[in-house]
């Protein structure tokens, strides 16, 4: 059984490429002004700001992931002419300190993009490791799963599949890895899922990082009859060894 291993877990569905900043709008809590959305959370008012034409286009941009240093943004863009086979490809942008703006987004080269749905789930602290959507095949196609890639001499390695014992998924999924790369959180649909999808945890087996334990449902404290999606850890106390199930 899992105890209080996680101090705080944040989960929500990411639907647009935006940043959030504090704002005061004449004391009003809920204001909608064209494309600018103001909303209230814990008595604070926040403003969602469009990142502008360097990031957003006439195509769909979704799944934003920002590096821990705040300087690199990854997201996927749908049906853009530069995409491979015109599906969902990974794009990236760099933040420029001198003018406090993001560079024009560029299409990421192979092998990260291929024929299929491509997206970044997680970025390591040093920015040199990415967790990617799907399993990658040498013929340029993808299948169900999650893969990891490493930046070596300025280039990304071919994504390797994480072998998660008993992993199956019936819905859209998302993944998050802890900084020590020992714990994998995921939002997936399994036989014991309460709603459309739940939050699960898996632990690394051995030092290679290629094999992982069977996903454990985190239970009713976090999971509901609705949909839990896009999980991040805000603060991690520890994962106590005796509480792990190595099944």
């Amino acid at each position: 059984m899992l105890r209080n291993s996680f101090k705080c877990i944040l989960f929500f569905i990411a639907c647009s490429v935006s940043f959030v900043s504090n704002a005061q709008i004449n004391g009003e809590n809920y204001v909608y002004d064209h494309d600018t959305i103001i909303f209230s959370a814990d008595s604070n008012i926040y403003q969602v700001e469009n990142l502008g034409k360097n990031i957003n286009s006439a195509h769909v941009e979704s799944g934003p992931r920002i590096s821990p240093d705040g300087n690199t943004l990854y997201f996927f863009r749908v049906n853009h002419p530069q995409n491979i086979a015109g599906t969902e490809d990974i794009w990236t942008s760099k933040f420029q300190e001198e003018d406090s703006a993001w560079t024009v987004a560029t299409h990421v080269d192979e092998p990260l993009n291929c024929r299929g749905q491509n997206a970044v789930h997680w970025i390591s602290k040093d920015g040199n490791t990415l967790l990617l959507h799907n399993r990658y095949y040498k013929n340029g196609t993808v299948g169900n799963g999650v893969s990891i890639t490493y930046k070596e001499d300025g280039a990304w390695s071919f994504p390797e599949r994480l072998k998660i014992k008993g992993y199956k998924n019936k819905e859209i999924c998302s993944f998050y890895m802890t900084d020590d790369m020992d714990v994998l959180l995921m939002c997936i649909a399994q036989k014991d899922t309460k709603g459309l999808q739940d939050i699960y945890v898996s632990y690394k087996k051995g030092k290679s990082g290629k094999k992982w334990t069977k996903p454990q449902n985190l239970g009713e404290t976090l999971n509901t009859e609705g949909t839990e999606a896009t999980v991040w850890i805000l603060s991690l106390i520890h994962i106590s060894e005796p509480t792990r199930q190595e099944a």
Side-chain angles (χ1 to χ4, degrees):
M1 179 179 179
L2 288 173
R3 301 180 197 171
N4 295 329
S5 300
F6 303 109
K7 182 178 180 181
C8 184
I9 294 179
L10 170 69
F11 52 91
F12 59 92
I13 298 175
C15 297
S16 60
V17 183
S18 305
F19 277 134
V20 179
S21 62
N22 290 327
Q24 288 290 334
I25 311 294
N26 299 323
E28 296 294 331
N29 283 346
Y30 298 90
V31 179
Y32 296 84
D33 182 11
H34 301 291
D35 292 333
T36 300
I37 304 173
I38 312 298
F39 61 95
S40 177
D42 298 330
S43 300
N44 293 319
I45 300 175
Y46 300 90
Q47 180 174 354
V48 179
E49 299 177 359
N50 191 301
L51 290 186
K53 62 182 181 180
N54 282 359
I55 304 296
N56 295 309
S57 69
H59 300 272
V60 173
E61 283 80 27
S62 191
R65 299 291 185 270
I66 192 165
S67 60
D69 64 8
N71 291 326
T72 305
L73 177 68
Y74 293 95
F75 60 94
F76 67 83
R77 182 172 278 165
V78 181
N79 294 330
H80 191 278
Q82 286 184 246
N83 287 4
I84 298 174
T87 54
E88 297 178 6
D89 276 12
I90 301 167
W91 290 66
T92 187
S93 174
K94 296 285 187 179
F95 187 74
Q96 296 179 312
E97 294 285 351
E98 56 270 21
D99 55 6
S100 297
W102 292 93
T103 60
V104 175
T106 57
H107 182 261
V108 176
D109 293 331
E110 297 179 279
L112 271 58
N113 282 320
C114 60
R115 296 193 303 275
Q117 295 177 326
N118 307 290
V120 174
H121 285 294
W122 172 85
I123 309 165
S124 64
K125 289 185 72 174
D126 63 6
N128 292 326
T129 305
L130 300 177
L131 207 58
L132 301 175
H133 191 62
N134 284 325
R135 174 182 181 178
Y136 285 65
Y137 295 102
K138 293 292 185 179
N139 64 1
T141 61
V142 295
N144 187 19
V146 61
S147 300
I148 195 165
T149 180
Y150 306 94
K151 184 174 283 188
E152 302 168 349
D153 299 324
W156 292 106
S157 64
F158 188 84
E160 299 180 59
R161 176 174 68 100
L162 297 187
K163 297 178 181 178
I164 305 170
K165 184 177 180 179
Y167 172 80
K168 293 181 180 179
N169 182 56
K170 302 180 293 183
E171 298 289 337
I172 296 173
C173 58
S174 65
F175 295 85
Y176 181 94
M177 189 176 285
T178 54
D179 290 341
D180 59 11
M181 299 176 66
D182 286 340
V183 182
L184 185 65
L185 289 168
M186 61 195 80
C187 295
I188 57 176
Q190 305 272 280
K191 287 184 178 180
D192 61 344
T193 299
K194 308 300 180 185
L196 290 179
Q197 62 185 37
D198 284 355
I199 303 174
Y200 289 76
V201 64
S202 176
Y203 301 100
K204 183 171 68 176
K205 299 172 68 175
K207 295 182 179 180
S208 69
K210 294 181 180 180
K211 293 185 177 181
W212 295 76
T213 63
K214 183 179 179 180
Q216 299 171 239
N217 192 303
L218 287 184
E220 295 180 357
T221 301
L222 290 176
N223 294 314
T224 67
E225 294 182 357
T227 299
E228 280 67 50
T230 317
V231 62
W232 282 280
I233 293 179
L234 295 183
S235 179
L236 181 66
I237 298 178
H238 68 281
I239 304 291
S240 178
E241 287 288 344
T243 66
R244 296 188 182 188
Q245 295 178 9
E246 297 294 343

